Amino acid sequence: MNKPNDRLIRGIVAAGSFLALIVIGKPLVDEYRELRAGQRELSKLEEEFDTLQSRDVRLQRIERTLADERQQLLERSTTPDRIQQVRDTVIGIVRQGNATLRSLEIDDGQRRRWASRGDNPHNRRLPEMDMESDFELHSHSLTLVADGSLEAVMEVMEKINRQRWLMTVESLALEPAGSNDKWIGLELRISLYGLQRSELEEDDLVATRTRMRLK
């Protein structure tokens, strides 16, 4: 007698369980899909972050390289604010090389606008207006007279060359000094160059241009 009732009860329980599964399970499925979508988005963001971080490291490396190259170029340039440093360096080189310094002269120098391309530091003329860069060229003539043993004089020249200044040798003379055949006299004249951002005022630039073109 109870069997039909048992089947009915089991049917009701099964139907209720099915409905509960639909009601409860559907949000769980939706959450699973959202989690999968969130995982994909997070993975994408992490990849983008890693890419940006790697790019930032490369940019920092490039920035350091450019800063080092800029500093090296500045150290090689002879501008008015570095003349005293150059003078002290040459005096120190002569003394450390056991040579005797006879005279050292560095003129006040000249400056002109530097062309944006194809310029030459030996060129005395100013570039055309449309060829001017934002830089100006400084040039200073240095004349060194010293004497000493051949080894000492050679060491002086080698150490000056080792400074890697932007320069050209205008003249170099070696000749016996005094009665000692082993004592050598050195006379060296070089032109030192340097580039820096232009600080020439417009009126000063026009006046300089006029003087240079009249020569």
Side-chain angles (χ1 to χ4, degrees), residues 95-154:
R95 290 176 176 173
Q96 292 170 11
N98 296 318
T100 302
L101 177 65
R102 297 304 179 186
S103 67
L104 175 62
E105 297 180 2
I106 305 179
D107 65 16
D108 293 335
Q110 298 179 351
R111 62 176 178 172
R112 66 167 176 82
R113 280 293 176 91
W114 181 251
S116 56
R117 61 180 182 272
D119 206 338
N120 186 325
H122 290 98
N123 190 357
R124 309 294 297 194
R125 296 179 61 85
L126 287 169
E128 299 298 328
M129 290 291 265
D130 59 344
M131 292 287 290
E132 292 177 352
S133 71
D134 295 333
F135 292 85
E136 60 184 22
L137 171 72
H138 292 263
S139 58
H140 299 267
S141 179
L142 181 151
T143 303
L144 168 66
V145 179
D147 54 39
S149 66
L150 178 60
E151 292 77 9
V153 170
M154 294 299 292

Side-chain angles (χ1 to χ4, degrees), residues 46-63:
E46 287 178 344
E47 289 177 2
E48 291 178 354
F49 176 78
D50 291 341
T51 300
L52 290 174
Q53 194 172 39
S54 176
R55 185 181 304 169
D56 185 56
V57 171
R58 290 197 300 272
L59 289 175
Q60 290 179 3
R61 188 183 303 116
I62 293 172
E63 183 180 356

Side-chain angles (χ1 to χ4, degrees), residues 3-187:
K3 288 183 178 180
N5 291 334
D6 291 341
R7 286 196 296 272
L8 179 61
I9 292 172
R10 285 197 294 271
I12 293 173
V13 171
S17 299
F18 181 72
L19 289 173
L21 179 62
I22 293 175
V23 172
I24 297 175
K26 186 178 184 301
L28 292 177
V29 171
D30 292 341
E31 289 181 4
Y32 173 74
R33 289 174 178 171
E34 290 178 0
L35 287 173
R36 288 292 301 273
Q39 176 190 353
R40 289 193 296 269
E41 184 67 20
L42 181 60
S43 297
K44 181 180 178 181
L45 290 174
E46 287 178 344
E47 289 177 2
E48 291 178 354
F49 176 78
D50 291 341
T51 300
L52 290 174
Q53 194 172 39
S54 176
R55 185 181 304 169
D56 185 56
V57 171
R58 290 197 300 272
L59 289 175
Q60 290 179 3
R61 188 183 303 116
I62 293 172
E63 183 180 356
R64 287 194 299 269
T65 299
L66 291 176
D68 291 342
E69 291 178 352
R70 176 180 178 274
Q71 184 60 35
Q72 291 174 11
L73 182 57
L74 290 176
E75 289 175 355
R76 296 185 63 192
S77 292
T78 301
T79 48
D81 57 320
R82 299 193 68 233
I83 287 298
Q84 187 58 47
Q85 180 181 346
V86 171
R87 184 188 300 275
D88 294 342
T89 299
V90 174
I91 292 174
I93 287 174
V94 174
R95 290 176 176 173
Q96 292 170 11
N98 296 318
T100 302
L101 177 65
R102 297 304 179 186
S103 67
L104 175 62
E105 297 180 2
I106 305 179
D107 65 16
D108 293 335
Q110 298 179 351
R111 62 176 178 172
R112 66 167 176 82
R113 280 293 176 91
W114 181 251
S116 56
R117 61 180 182 272
D119 206 338
N120 186 325
H122 290 98
N123 190 357
R124 309 294 297 194
R125 296 179 61 85
L126 287 169
E128 299 298 328
M129 290 291 265
D130 59 344
M131 292 287 290
E132 292 177 352
S133 71
D134 295 333
F135 292 85
E136 60 184 22
L137 171 72
H138 292 263
S139 58
H140 299 267
S141 179
L142 181 151
T143 303
L144 168 66
V145 179
D147 54 39
S149 66
L150 178 60
E151 292 77 9
V153 170
M154 294 299 292
E155 182 178 347
V156 167
M157 291 191 294
E158 180 182 354
K159 286 186 176 180
I160 289 177
N161 183 61
R162 203 180 299 165
Q163 300 305 309
R164 298 184 68 247
W165 291 320
L166 298 174
M167 67 180 187
T168 56
V169 177
E170 304 296 343
S171 64
L172 170 63
L174 296 173
E175 57 184 16
S179 58
N180 190 342
D181 294 338
K182 296 183 180 180
W183 208 251
I184 302 298
L186 165 68
E187 183 172 338

